[in-house]
Amino acid sequence: MAEEFVALCPVTEELVSQLLALAELDLTDDDAIEARMREAGWPDWSQAVRGPAYEETPDVPDATHVTPQGHFVTCDGDGSLHLPFAYLYSVDGGLLDEDCWGTLPGWTSEEGAWRPEFDAHFAAVVQRFTDRLGLPNHDIRQPRYDTRYVSWRLEHNALIVGQGPEPLSYHQFEDAHVYLVSRTAKDAPFPDGERMRALLTT
């Protein structure tokens, strides 16, 4: 029988400030992004996961950086930055045979939690950014798929708080994430492709 879980790595006020500072930069400028991440104390992923905190953790997600709180961040010069902060998933001996998220440094998981708890974590992060940036420019929902993107159009970039199917699990699980994406880089990947690019760059 499947066990249901929701995992969380909190988005603190300090992390919100760090993400907004990154959002001021050209997301295709690797050197500037790397310097800002070093200032914020975000180590390189390969360096972080070799540390003692991860010795007892068999499965660690691939990323480029790790925040001091424990978020796995991917920022590889394509004009975007992806930071998941919550997951909704089942442990059933199929894709997952144990709770991998609850054992990661900085993360907690709640067995028996599902959609209401996951949505509440998402809403709390949307509120944190709303408190700093004002009301979002767009709130796009696809109720049939429980997918939602709340976005702010900033000077150079767009900031998106999104939730929906998690691609690395072949869409069997869901994640909630903060996504920064360049409004000017031609090949920067937008979550919903060209339709969202058109919406957030015009």
Side-chain angles (χ1 to χ4, degrees):
M1 184 172 167
E3 299 167 315
E4 298 175 337
F5 289 86
V6 170
L8 174 70
C9 189
V11 175
T12 63
E13 286 293 346
E14 180 183 17
L15 183 61
V16 168
S17 295
Q18 292 169 348
L19 287 164
L20 292 177
L22 285 164
E24 295 172 353
L25 303 176
D26 175 356
L27 293 175
T28 62
D29 186 339
D30 287 342
D31 292 339
I33 295 291
E34 190 66 36
R36 189 65 57 90
M37 287 182 173
R38 275 198 307 272
E39 286 171 21
W42 297 16
D44 178 86
W45 174 87
S46 59
Q47 174 189 352
V49 299
R50 285 199 299 266
Y54 291 90
E55 279 179 6
E56 303 298 319
T57 308
D59 293 315
V60 178
D62 285 336
T64 59
H65 296 81
V66 180
T67 70
Q69 295 92 349
H71 306 89
F72 293 92
V73 182
T74 302
C75 184
D76 50 19
D78 65 354
S80 70
L81 179 150
H82 183 254
L83 181 150
F85 61 85
Y87 286 89
L88 175 148
Y89 54 103
S90 297
V91 174
D92 57 7
L95 197 58
L96 283 183
D97 55 13
E98 61 182 351
D99 174 17
C100 62
W101 287 103
T103 62
L104 292 170
W107 288 79
T108 57
S109 63
E110 183 180 353
E111 186 175 356
W114 200 241
R115 176 78 46 203
E117 292 82 0
F118 182 66
D119 288 349
H121 295 321
F122 177 85
V125 174
V126 169
Q127 188 59 53
R128 280 202 186 280
F129 282 104
T130 301
D131 291 344
R132 298 288 286 274
L133 297 172
L135 291 173
N137 294 97
H138 300 284
D139 187 343
I140 303 166
R141 302 172 195 236
Q142 296 177 342
R144 181 175 177 180
Y145 302 105
D146 294 307
T147 299
R148 185 178 175 197
Y149 298 109
V150 180
S151 59
W152 289 263
R153 195 183 293 125
L154 308 177
E155 185 177 359
H156 304 292
N157 303 304
L159 185 148
I160 301 168
V161 182
Q163 67 179 139
E166 192 276 321
L168 296 179
S169 67
Y170 305 102
H171 298 160
Q172 294 182 57
F173 310 141
E174 295 183 36
D175 77 357
H177 53 269
V178 178
Y179 191 69
L180 299 178
V181 60
S182 171
R183 293 178 58 206
T184 55
K186 196 162 77 171
D187 298 324
F190 279 77
D192 203 22
E194 289 306 312
R195 287 184 301 172
M196 189 175 290
R197 176 193 297 278
L199 189 66
L200 298 183
T201 60
T202 55

